[in-house]
Amino acid sequence: MGFFDKLKKGLNKTRENLTNKIEKIIIGYADIDDDLLDELEETLIMADVGVQTTDKLMTAVRKGIKKKEINTPEDLKPFLQKQIVEILTKGEEMDTTRVAENGPTVLLVIGVNGAGKTTTIGKLAAYYKGQGKSVLLAAADTFRAAAIDQLEVWGERTGVPVIKHEEGSDPAAVAFDAVKAAVARNVDILIIDTAGRLQTKSNLMQELEKINRVIGREIPGAPHETLLVLDATTGQNAISQAELFTKAAPITGVVLTKLDGTAKGGVVIGIKSQLQMPVKWIGVGEGVEDLRPFNAEDFAKALFQS
Ligand SMILES: Nc1nc2c(ncn2[C@@H]2O[C@H](COP(=O)(O)OP(=O)(O)OP(=O)(O)O)[C@@H](O)[C@H]2O)c(=O)[nH]1
Ligand SMILES: [Mg+2]
């Protein structure tokens, strides 16, 4: 199965939750009236699009009605699809991976426990290798021994070396060694795994700041990307996580994992519109192939095509 089909299949529940309900509203009303608009608004909120983004969409719909771009309930679906693509593609130029002008490009991967950081790193390693780039991984999650092993498994699977220290050692020291090694070995991409941390634990957030400082001291401009990994199944909670993480690190993009099988895929729209944070990658499964750069048109198409 190709990635688009996987995405489409993964979004089945989100589609049921959003598009199918919109279709039901369209069928249920002969004309556009306040009841229809109320129902539409509720549907958008329930589909994890977020209150703010729903407001934005509803304002656009009301304007569309006034300007006679929307005349019948049937006009709503294509109108909304277009609005959603517009929201998602706004600032699209930011969405390509930032790379170093010369020397290694450093990607720092952060997020709460279990969001899918380590798995994403394995997939990213495979992706960049597939693009002919040399990759190095750093096991800066020193919190659990299993975390280091897990990254090593991905390293073996993708044929990518891993820089590691012992369990319990200073993650910033691992990052430091990794950055040195990346420069010495002249690798294209260094990807740093970090421990899952709660956005509310200030010591862990300080640790993150330290890792950031160490990397930036060794390679000016690094990390070139700080990727926040968010679990799509957490819906609106992912948005509040993102808000808190921005306080500890300058996030350059979001990786949204577990879009397969969740009904809360609408959160993609909220992340982009509410946080002005580009969704750069999406994960649709546990396999090595199940991660791709986010493409707004494809996403909207997968969401709206039945
Ligand atoms: N279905 C699905 N599962 C995923 C996806 N990404 C990751 N997972 C699974 O989510 C679980 C947690 O993934 P990890 O990569 O270990 O998460 P982590 O953020 O590194 O976790 P900690 O290191 O404990 O903070 C694993 O079982 C992964 O296989 C995805 O896109 N889809
Ligand atoms: Mg991990």
Side-chain angles (χ1 to χ4, degrees):
M1 206 191 288
F3 191 80
F4 181 75
D5 290 323
K6 268 192 199 164
L7 175 64
K8 217 175 138 186
K9 190 164 166 250
L11 288 176
N12 270 345
K13 280 196 194 144
T14 301
R15 204 163 33 243
E16 269 166 34
N17 206 8
L18 179 66
T19 319
N20 294 4
K21 284 201 187 133
I22 293 174
E23 275 162 10
K24 259 190 212 142
I25 295 173
I26 292 171
I27 295 166
Y29 287 86
D31 299 300
I32 295 172
D33 59 16
D34 286 344
D35 285 347
L36 178 151
L37 293 177
D38 284 349
E39 224 180 290
L40 180 64
E41 183 168 12
E42 197 185 314
T43 301
L44 290 168
I45 290 172
M46 296 304 279
D48 274 277
V49 171
V51 175
Q52 246 172 281
T53 313
T54 299
D55 275 351
K56 230 188 242 180
L57 285 168
M58 291 308 295
T59 304
V61 165
R62 290 201 168 89
K63 261 191 207 152
I65 295 168
K66 247 193 205 149
K67 287 207 246 159
K68 303 234 176 289
E69 287 167 24
I70 304 171
N71 297 301
T72 63
E74 288 80 44
D75 295 337
L76 280 169
K77 200 177 142 187
F79 185 86
L80 282 170
Q81 180 171 350
K82 205 175 131 230
Q83 291 293 325
I84 287 171
V85 171
E86 244 167 60
I87 288 178
L88 290 174
T89 50
K90 218 171 170 191
E92 184 75 8
E93 64 280 359
M94 305 164 54
D95 289 7
T96 43
T97 305
R98 298 184 192 183
V99 288
E101 275 172 27
N102 46 49
T105 294
V106 182
L107 314 182
L108 182 66
V109 179
I110 63 174
V112 302
N113 297 86
K117 294 177 292 300
T118 308
T119 308
T120 295
I121 289 168
K123 294 169 179 173
L124 283 172
Y127 180 88
Y128 285 118
K129 266 207 98 178
Q131 303 231 312
K133 308 244 189 264
S134 56
V135 182
L136 182 67
L137 302 181
D141 178 358
T142 58
F143 195 62
R144 317 181 274 124
I148 301 170
D149 296 343
Q150 191 190 354
L151 195 68
E152 283 200 301
V153 169
W154 277 107
E156 275 159 32
R157 198 177 290 167
T158 53
V160 166
V162 178
I163 301 290
K164 59 167 185 175
H165 286 189
E166 272 162 30
E167 181 193 352
S169 57
D170 180 4
V174 181
F176 177 82
D177 274 0
V179 169
K180 286 263 190 215
V183 173
R185 300 179 197 182
N186 195 23
V187 301
D188 297 318
I189 313 265
L190 167 65
I191 314 175
I192 303 174
D193 192 14
T194 62
R197 64 198 68 232
L198 281 176
Q199 62 275 27
T200 48
K201 290 264 167 75
S202 64
N203 55 331
L204 284 174
M205 286 308 203
Q206 277 162 11
E207 181 189 283
L208 199 59
E209 286 169 26
K210 186 176 167 196
I211 295 173
N212 244 316
R213 272 201 310 277
V214 164
I215 299 169
R217 214 159 40 214
E218 289 310 304
I219 303 180
H224 304 88
E225 289 264 15
T226 299
L227 294 172
L228 176 64
V229 179
L230 297 172
D231 176 342
T233 64
T234 63
Q236 288 305 294
N237 186 22
I239 296 197
S240 47
Q241 275 172 31
E243 277 169 346
L244 288 158
F245 266 97
T246 49
K247 293 187 183 137
I251 292 156
T252 59
V254 165
V255 180
L256 199 66
T257 61
K258 309 183 199 181
L259 264 178
D260 50 312
T262 176
K264 301 184 176 190
V267 72
V268 172
I269 304 159
I271 289 172
K272 182 84 178 201
S273 120
Q274 238 166 288
L275 304 172
Q276 278 91 45
M277 239 182 235
V279 175
K280 294 206 170 177
W281 300 87
I282 51 172
V284 297
E286 294 181 286
V288 69
E289 293 288 322
D290 296 338
L291 183 88
R292 283 287 177 280
F294 176 68
N295 177 307
E297 302 270 349
D298 280 357
F299 177 81
K301 224 198 280 169
L303 195 59
F304 279 93
Q305 268 178 10
S306 22

